């Protein structure tokens, strides 16, 4: 299912304080990027998911957020690297920005790891690729 354009516009407005936001396809939804390749949030299944890691998980848990989950052949899987944006933030730009700023550190760390992985892959001899 594609992301509802009205929801995407609303989310872009909520996070406008981060600066220019670009988007890309992610599964059947939309990934939200700042600073070029820093994916700080995604819209999947009508829910906004914020980038998270061990340093931010407790704050998301305390706010009632839940981890992204999906089905695999072996059963349900959880991806705690994406936590739901608390419902209260959907209509409160100030609160939404607090969550977006919290998500930036894990998002930047993930982008750094992804860039390094890409560089290693490009550095391998053609025969190994």
């Amino acid at each position: 299912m594609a992301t509802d354009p009205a929801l995407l516009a609303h989310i872009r407005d909520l996070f406008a304080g981060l600066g220019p936001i670009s988007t890309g396809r992610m599964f059947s939804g939309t990934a939200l990027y700042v600073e070029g390749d820093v994916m700080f949030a995604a819209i999947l299944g009508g829910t906004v998911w914020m980038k998270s890691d061990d340093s931010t998980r407790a704050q998301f848990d305390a706010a009632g957020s839940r981890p992204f989950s999906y089905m695999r052949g072996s059963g349900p899987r959880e991806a705690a690297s994406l936590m739901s944006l608390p419902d209260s933030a959907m209509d409160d730009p100030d609160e939404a920005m607090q969550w977006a700023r919290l998500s930036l550190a894990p998002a930047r760390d993930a982008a750094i790891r992804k860039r390094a992985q890409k560089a290693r892959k490009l550095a391998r001899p053609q025969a190994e690729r």
Side-chain angles (χ1 to χ4, degrees):
M1 167 187 356
T3 300
D4 174 32
L7 175 60
L8 178 57
H10 176 65
I11 298 308
R12 288 179 84 123
D13 286 344
L14 282 178
F15 298 141
L18 292 179
I21 296 172
S22 60
T23 60
R25 292 181 55 96
M26 180 177 183
F27 306 123
S28 60
T30 304
L32 298 142
Y33 298 89
V34 292
E35 303 168 9
D37 64 346
V38 177
M39 190 202 87
F40 73 98
I43 304 170
L44 302 166
T47 299
V48 179
W49 303 94
M50 307 301 295
K51 194 70 171 165
S52 181
D53 64 10
D54 290 342
S55 71
T56 61
R57 175 77 188 257
Q59 289 168 278
F60 280 102
D61 286 341
S65 295
R66 65 190 189 287
F68 177 71
S69 63
Y70 57 98
M71 290 298 293
R72 297 276 310 216
S74 59
R77 287 269 173 100
E78 237 180 48
S81 63
L82 290 173
M83 297 292 290
S84 62
L85 178 68
D87 291 338
S88 57
M90 287 297 291
D91 295 316
D92 184 340
D94 293 331
E95 182 182 354
M97 282 302 300
Q98 290 173 346
W99 291 108
R101 286 187 191 101
L102 182 68
S103 292
L104 281 178
R108 287 177 178 137
D109 289 345
I112 289 167
R113 287 190 305 275
K114 190 172 183 177
R115 286 182 213 130
Q117 182 180 32
K118 214 179 220 183
R120 281 190 303 274
K121 184 177 178 182
L122 288 173
R124 286 191 305 210
Q126 186 68 26
E128 291 181 29
R129 289 190 218 164

